[in-house]
Amino acid sequence: MAGVTAASAETAAVTGLLILLALVAVTGAAMWRLGHLRGAALQLALAALMIGAAGYAVQGRPGLAGSPREGQARAAPLPLGVPRRAMLGRFNQSDRWLTIADGYASRGQTEDAAGVIRSAIRAHPRDAGLWVGYGNALVDHAGMMTPAANFAYARARQLAPKHPAPLFFEGLALARSGKREEALALWRQALALTPEGASYRPIIEGGLVSLSGGKAAQARR
């Protein structure tokens, strides 16, 4: 029994590491294609992503139930600003609030980041971008998908049923929680909603290819 348990733990760890690498690849692709980073700047950005991924691999435990206790190590927040702005736009109402929240999250103040977005939602309850950002912030704070984050993504989907962003970021949260197949299913739906010429389409395609083990991602209605 101990051998089986150890093998299961090792398998889960490997799966988690593969998911982390996929997430780094997705965000790195976004920085290259949409952030116009090249050369040393791109290398530094990718290095920062890898450090964050390594911290999550060591500290994160997606398979554990419940919320993190006070003082317990949490998963490092992922820098999602580039793919989020690519899908939801920048210099708009939600981006202003989410940029403030990003600043808190980058300093490890994930609870404050979620609080900023929660305040924004009170003022703008029908802003789908804020609900997406709130879901992301809640996942960053807990280190995994939570019922509250699930509700936030569901609300975003309700407000923007034909936009791929709520599906993509919910899938990202599921992938971070070790739910690979559920993440793939949502990303396929997101790709089906994404126009062929959309600048952010490669982000979703890259995520699908990475999480599906290198198989070509196809989503046709």
Side-chain angles (χ1 to χ4, degrees):
M1 180 65 70
V4 173
T5 301
S8 299
E10 183 177 358
T11 300
V14 171
T15 301
L17 180 58
L18 289 175
I19 289 173
L20 283 168
L21 292 176
L23 300 185
V24 171
V26 169
T27 309
M31 287 181 172
W32 186 83
R33 293 175 182 272
L34 305 171
H36 305 294
L37 293 178
R38 298 292 186 273
L42 178 60
Q43 292 175 15
L44 288 173
L46 290 176
L49 288 175
M50 289 303 297
I51 291 171
Y56 178 78
V58 172
Q59 299 176 7
R61 295 294 184 272
L64 294 182
S67 57
R69 298 175 183 174
E70 188 68 28
Q72 182 179 348
R74 292 193 182 98
L78 287 178
L80 298 178
V82 171
R84 189 189 68 227
R85 291 187 184 101
M87 293 187 187
L88 295 171
R90 58 187 305 152
F91 306 123
N92 53 31
Q93 175 179 270
S94 60
D95 183 54
R96 288 192 291 271
W97 286 97
L98 296 176
T99 298
I100 294 171
D102 287 345
Y104 283 105
S106 68
R107 297 190 295 273
Q109 297 171 277
T110 54
E111 185 173 4
D112 291 332
V116 167
I117 305 172
R118 188 163 52 245
S119 297
I121 287 174
R122 292 195 192 101
H124 310 285
R126 299 190 61 80
D127 189 315
L130 288 174
W131 282 104
V132 168
Y134 190 43
N136 294 342
L138 291 171
V139 172
D140 276 342
H141 182 60
M144 67 184 79
M145 178 68 89
T146 65
N150 186 69
F151 175 84
Y153 293 125
R155 181 63 176 146
R157 291 199 311 272
Q158 183 183 36
L159 291 169
K162 296 185 178 181
H163 200 291
L167 291 165
F168 174 78
F169 286 103
E170 182 176 2
L172 191 62
L174 289 169
R176 295 175 68 184
S177 302
K179 298 180 179 180
R180 175 177 171 273
E181 293 302 323
E182 293 179 42
L184 283 170
L186 288 185
W187 280 2
R188 291 187 186 104
Q189 293 179 49
L191 188 61
L193 291 174
T194 303
E196 288 289 341
S199 61
Y200 53 82
R201 187 179 175 91
I203 300 174
I204 304 174
E205 290 176 333
L208 276 167
V209 170
S210 298
L211 279 189
S212 60
K215 298 177 182 178
Q218 296 294 331
R220 295 289 183 271
R221 292 187 174 185

